[in-house]
């Protein structure tokens, strides 16, 4: 099974800052990588798929990059509504999720 | 519009069987695959298994011996049954829809609201 290692586990940043969350796969997942945002008490929502494609309706301040085993999610100009947990998911071989990053505002 | 809604008991006794139903609307189960995903409180999600659009199933190898997924296309429902429940099966259970029709492994573009399941005596 493919394992996903996500970092950091938690992150605190100021409004307007840029933050980056990383995900490392245990083997090459050939860009079969998605990022989700989960606000407290809500279901996860798809942000990015195929490592760098923005899902419909997602603000352009979110972007994804990476290849092989290393991937990242970047949030530019952090806003208060971005407070949430973020998860990566590989779907190249079955499906596995990262353990999540909890993002807070300083 | 696309909707998925989970239903089932909130409390299950240890060693008992969990039965959940996912009722969908706004799309066809013969065009889109539906997965079950669970999430312990404060932890990352875990994919449990999938009902493919063509009626085939796929399971997480860690749960395969305890898990069964089926469907009734006439009622737009997908079912989950998992036996021998233990306390570490406690969490929120979601059904999800694949992003693309009749496709291979893809991410999920719609999630249900989730149902909280507690395993306790």
């Amino acid at each position: 099974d493919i394992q996903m290692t996500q970092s950091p586990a938690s992150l605190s940043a100021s409004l307007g800052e840029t933050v980056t969350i990383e995900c490392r796969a245990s083997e090459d997942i050939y860009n079969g990588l998605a990022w989700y945002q989960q606000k407290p008490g809500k279901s996860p929502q798809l942000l990015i798929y195929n490592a760098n494609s923005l899902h419909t309706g997602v603000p352009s301040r979110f972007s994804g990059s990476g290849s092989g085993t290393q991937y990242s999610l970047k949030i530019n100009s952090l806003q208060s509504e971005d407070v949430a947990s973020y998860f990566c998911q590989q779907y190249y071989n079955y499906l596995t999720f990262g353990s999540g990053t909890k993002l807070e505002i300083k | 519009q696309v909707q998925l809604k989970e239903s089932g008991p909130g409390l299950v006794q240890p060693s008992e069987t969990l039965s959940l139903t996912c009722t969908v609307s706004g799309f066809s189960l013969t065009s889109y695959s539906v997965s079950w995903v669970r999430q312990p409180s404060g932890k990352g999600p875990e994919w449990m298994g999938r009902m493919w659009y063509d009626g085939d199933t796929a399971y997480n190898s860690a749960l395969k011996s305890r898990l069964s997924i089926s469907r009734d296309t006439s009622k737009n429902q997908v079912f989950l049954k998992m036996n021998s429940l233990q306390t570490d099966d406690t969490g929120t259970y979601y059904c999800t829809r694949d992003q693309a029709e009749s496709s291979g492994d893809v991410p999920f573009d719609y999630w249900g609201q989730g149902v909280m399941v507690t395993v306790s005596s």
Side-chain angles (χ1 to χ4, degrees):
Chain A
D1 293 4
I2 297 176
Q3 307 302 316
M4 303 300 293
T5 302
Q6 188 173 339
S7 63
S10 62
L11 186 53
S12 183
S14 301
L15 293 173
E17 270 193 52
T18 294
V19 300
T20 300
I21 298 168
E22 309 273 343
C23 224
R24 184 180 79 248
S26 58
E27 59 187 82
D28 196 327
I29 56 172
Y30 300 95
N31 283 15
L33 191 284
W35 291 96
Y36 296 87
Q37 176 192 65
Q38 185 176 30
K39 296 187 177 181
K42 300 294 187 182
S43 306
Q45 293 195 318
L46 181 63
L47 294 175
I48 301 283
Y49 63 98
N50 293 347
N52 56 26
S53 297
L54 202 64
H55 184 55
T56 305
V58 175
S60 58
R61 65 178 181 276
F62 292 90
S63 62
S65 63
S67 62
T69 62
Q70 300 275 3
Y71 298 87
S72 61
L73 171 71
K74 188 164 75 171
I75 310 173
N76 289 317
S77 302
L78 192 64
Q79 302 192 7
S80 56
E81 59 262 36
D82 300 334
V83 169
S85 291
Y86 293 85
F87 299 96
C88 61
Q89 176 206 39
Q90 71 80 19
Y91 49 89
Y92 171 70
N93 186 347
Y94 286 89
L95 302 103
T96 46
F97 290 86
S99 54
T101 296
K102 187 173 182 179
L103 175 60
E104 298 175 332
I105 302 294
K106 265 186 203 173
Chain B
Q1 83 259 33
V2 172
Q3 290 188 321
L4 303 95
K5 187 170 184 180
E6 307 87 350
S7 58
L11 181 65
V12 180
Q13 304 277 337
S15 79
E16 296 287 298
T17 296
L18 172 67
S19 294
L20 297 176
T21 299
C22 174
T23 303
V24 310
S25 59
F27 68 97
S28 172
L29 291 176
T30 58
S31 295
Y32 287 86
S33 302
V34 168
S35 285
W36 286 96
V37 175
R38 68 178 181 175
Q39 184 177 27
S41 181
K43 296 189 177 181
E46 178 185 35
W47 176 74
M48 301 180 72
R50 169 186 267 133
M51 170 57 71
W52 288 97
Y53 62 94
D54 63 1
D56 201 359
T57 52
Y59 298 107
N60 183 323
S61 58
L63 301 172
K64 189 172 185 176
S65 64
R66 300 197 287 141
L67 186 60
S68 174
I69 297 175
S70 59
R71 72 180 183 180
D72 184 337
T73 55
S74 67
K75 294 183 178 179
N76 295 320
Q77 292 179 325
V78 179
F79 309 104
L80 175 147
K81 285 192 189 307
M82 188 164 71
N83 58 32
S84 305
L85 254 63
Q86 300 302 321
T87 54
D88 60 1
D89 292 312
T90 293
T92 300
Y93 287 68
Y94 298 96
C95 56
T96 67
R97 191 192 83 160
D98 275 8
Q99 185 189 27
E101 283 189 63
S102 307
S103 184
D105 283 332
V106 291
F108 309 135
D109 61 352
Y110 287 92
W111 295 60
Q113 65 189 22
V115 59
M116 179 65 196
V117 174
T118 301
V119 182
S120 174
S121 54

